[in-house]
């Protein structure tokens, strides 16, 4: 509507002010159509309607929504060429555009360029975008440099500033650095929130350090911060990594007792912990409980209330099947996958790998079943990757594998490592 009205007014020779053009530009920005927004900005300049800072910021925001730092930088340059001074909104949005793309170099270049002009004084939002750009580029050192720059320049970092850096350390499994970051936050009078603590606990995941994860989880609750499903799922993930199903079950029970309904991710972590510990019986009980079935608990298993409406994912079934496959119990694996497909979830390459590994570990090996399962999978046109082919070759033997691939007209997908 606004665009038709503007075109009609221009066709009649009506001279419009910035307001009309800004409305059309803003509409294009909301629709995440940066090309159209920029086209109207340039038309506005050509019509001598004198774009203001709002006009330019709307277009920069449109490019930011698409994560296009180059587009944002182009508009900043156009803005400066037309003697319109960027403000703090320009700075924040332009840097955010680069951050979304993980383009830290362009983000820093734009930041310094706009800040050097003197009108826009960077605030916490601007610095947070810089920190985020560095983190997305995998440069934690740079992220910490900008966090320190905030402190040096008298800009108070927010909880987002610190937590973004904490997440970066967590992804690298650098627990010590994450702990130092949390302590620095507290020293500077910034209260950590559940996201901050969850990031720190996540740093324990790669090392499978349950004790440390539980220490920080307990400290979070001592600070009066209520744990949510995400923070519980992180602790459960640590337990799964450590193959400690008893601790995973304990935390699932604690979660339920705390009034936080366990979600599918949480149940999947418990199933994973049981599977990695070789407890296929427990893994399957948790799968059945998640589905709302009245599966009988083992004597030492907690009676967790399952929220209604949970739908197991392919991962739920595949991880449970993996627990049986590790013992060569192919009948159980077939039964679980038949149930999965009967409920509308088809197999994928990971499910196929688990099924074939069950046949391979069985004694005697189930070569004929492996071949038939593989053929059925291929006949359905499902994705084929190297891992299931590697297991199939190990199961049926190299010569038979080569004949089978030839007979079916299949080639081995590209990838690293030999079959």
């Amino acid at each position: 509507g606004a665009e038709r009205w503007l075109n009609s007014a221009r066709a009649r020779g009506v001279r419009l002010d910035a307001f009309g053009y800004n409305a059309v530009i803003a509409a294009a920005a909301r629709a995440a159509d940066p090309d159209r927004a920029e086209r109207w900005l340039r038309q506005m300049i050509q019509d001598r309607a004198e774009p203001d800072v709002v006009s330019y910021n709307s277009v920069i925001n449109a490019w930011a929504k698409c994560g296009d730092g180059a587009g944002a930088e182009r508009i900043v340059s156009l803005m400066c060429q037309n003697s319109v001074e960027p403000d703090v909104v320009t700075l924040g949005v332009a840097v955010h555009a680069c951050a979304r793309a993980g383009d830290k170099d362009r983000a820093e270049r734009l930041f310094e360029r706009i800040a050097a002009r003197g009108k826009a004084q960077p605030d916490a939002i601007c610095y947070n975008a810089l920190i985020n750009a560095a983190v997305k580029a995998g440069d934690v050192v740079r992220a910490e440099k900008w966090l320190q720059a905030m402190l040096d320049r008298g800009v108070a970092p927010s909880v987002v500033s610190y937590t973004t850096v904490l997440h970066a350390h967590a992804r690298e499994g650098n627990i010590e650095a994450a702990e130092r970051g949390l302590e620095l936050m507290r020293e500077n009078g910034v209260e950590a929130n559940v996201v901050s603590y969850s990031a720190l606990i996540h740093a324990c995941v790669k090392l499978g350090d349950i004790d440390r994860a539980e220490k920080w989880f307990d400290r979070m609750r001592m600070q009066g911060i209520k744990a949510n499903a995400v923070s519980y799922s992180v602790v459960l993930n640590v337990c799964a990594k450590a193959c400690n199903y008893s601790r995973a079950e304990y935390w699932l029970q604690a979660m339920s007792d705390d009034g936080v309904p366990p979600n599918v991710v949480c149940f999947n972590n418990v199933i994973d912990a049981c599977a990695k510990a070789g407890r296929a019986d427990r893994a399957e009980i948790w799968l059945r409980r998640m589905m709302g079935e009245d599966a009988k608990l083992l004597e030492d298993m907690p009676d967790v209330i399952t929220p209604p409406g949970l739908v197991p994912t392919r991962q739920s079934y595949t991880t449970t099947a993996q627990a049986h496959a590790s013992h060569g119990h192919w009948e159980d694996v077939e039964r679980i996958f038949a149930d999965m497909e009967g409920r509308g979830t088809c197999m994928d390459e990971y499910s196929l790998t688990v099924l074939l590994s069950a046949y391979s570990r069985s004694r005697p090996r189930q070569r004929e079943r492996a071949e038939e399962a593989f053929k059925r999978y291929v006949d359905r046109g499902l994705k084929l990757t190297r891992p299931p082919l590697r297991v199939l070759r190990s199961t049926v033997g190299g010569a038979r594998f080569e004949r089978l691939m030839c007979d079916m007209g299949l080639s081995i997908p590209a990838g690293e490592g030999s079959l």
Side-chain angles (χ1 to χ4, degrees), residues 275 314-334 336-337 340 347-362 370 373 377 387-389 391-392 395:
R314 185 183 290 110
Q315 179 186 344
S316 312
Y317 291 100
T318 302
T319 305
T320 304
Q322 176 63 53
H324 288 294
S326 64
H327 299 293
H329 298 163
W330 56 268
E331 299 98 329
D332 292 312
V333 176
E334 286 185 345
I336 289 169
F337 283 141
M340 178 183 79
M347 291 182 66
D348 65 0
E349 65 269 29
Y350 303 108
S351 311
L352 178 62
T353 302
V354 169
L355 179 58
L356 295 178
S357 69
Y359 295 138
S360 179
R361 290 190 175 101
S362 175
Y377 182 89
L389 292 177
V391 178
L392 179 65
T395 306

Side-chain angles (χ1 to χ4, degrees), residues 132-340:
N132 190 33
V135 168
K136 284 195 173 181
D139 193 339
V140 185
V141 174
R142 204 72 179 161
E144 289 197 314
K145 175 247 182 189
W146 285 112
L147 179 61
Q148 186 60 49
M150 292 180 75
L151 295 167
D152 294 342
R153 298 172 188 178
V155 179
S158 65
V159 66
V160 174
S161 315
Y162 290 103
T163 302
T164 303
V165 178
L166 283 180
H167 273 297
H169 289 308
R171 281 200 293 267
E172 294 185 348
N174 192 338
I175 300 176
E176 290 78 11
E179 288 176 337
R180 286 196 303 272
L182 188 68
E183 292 300 336
L184 178 63
M185 184 190 312
R186 297 178 64 188
E187 288 171 9
N188 289 324
V190 178
E191 290 295 326
N193 59 20
V194 66
V195 180
S196 310
Y197 279 101
S198 295
L200 179 56
I201 296 166
H202 184 69
C204 306
V205 171
K206 286 193 175 181
L207 301 181
D209 193 335
I210 296 178
D211 292 338
R212 215 161 183 172
E214 291 180 337
K215 178 192 80 171
W216 285 108
F217 193 92
D218 288 337
R219 185 175 296 185
M220 176 183 71
R221 294 202 290 183
M222 286 171 59
Q223 295 293 323
I225 300 171
K226 184 173 175 59
N228 58 21
V230 174
S231 49
Y232 272 108
S233 69
V234 174
V235 174
L236 289 167
N237 194 9
V238 177
C239 297
K241 292 286 185 183
C243 310
N244 193 325
Y245 69 84
S246 62
R247 295 310 293 166
E249 291 176 346
Y250 165 82
W251 283 108
L252 190 69
Q253 179 69 67
M255 181 180 190
S256 180
D257 292 345
D258 204 20
V260 181
N263 57 24
V264 172
V265 174
C266 295
F267 274 102
N268 282 353
N269 279 320
V270 178
I271 291 170
D272 191 26
C274 296
K276 286 177 177 172
R279 294 301 305 266
D281 53 347
R282 301 180 92 94
E284 187 160 358
I285 287 171
W286 287 119
L287 174 65
R288 300 301 168 191
R289 298 282 286 195
M290 179 175 25
M291 293 191 299
E293 296 182 7
D294 190 23
K296 185 177 180 181
L297 295 169
L298 299 179
E299 187 175 339
D300 60 339
M301 292 179 75
D303 190 6
V304 176
I305 298 175
T306 305
L310 293 185
V311 179
T313 62
R314 185 183 290 110
Q315 179 186 344
S316 312
Y317 291 100
T318 302
T319 305
T320 304
Q322 176 63 53
H324 288 294
S326 64
H327 299 293
H329 298 163
W330 56 268
E331 299 98 329
D332 292 312
V333 176
E334 286 185 345
R335 173 176 53 79
I336 289 169
F337 283 141
D339 186 17
M340 178 183 79

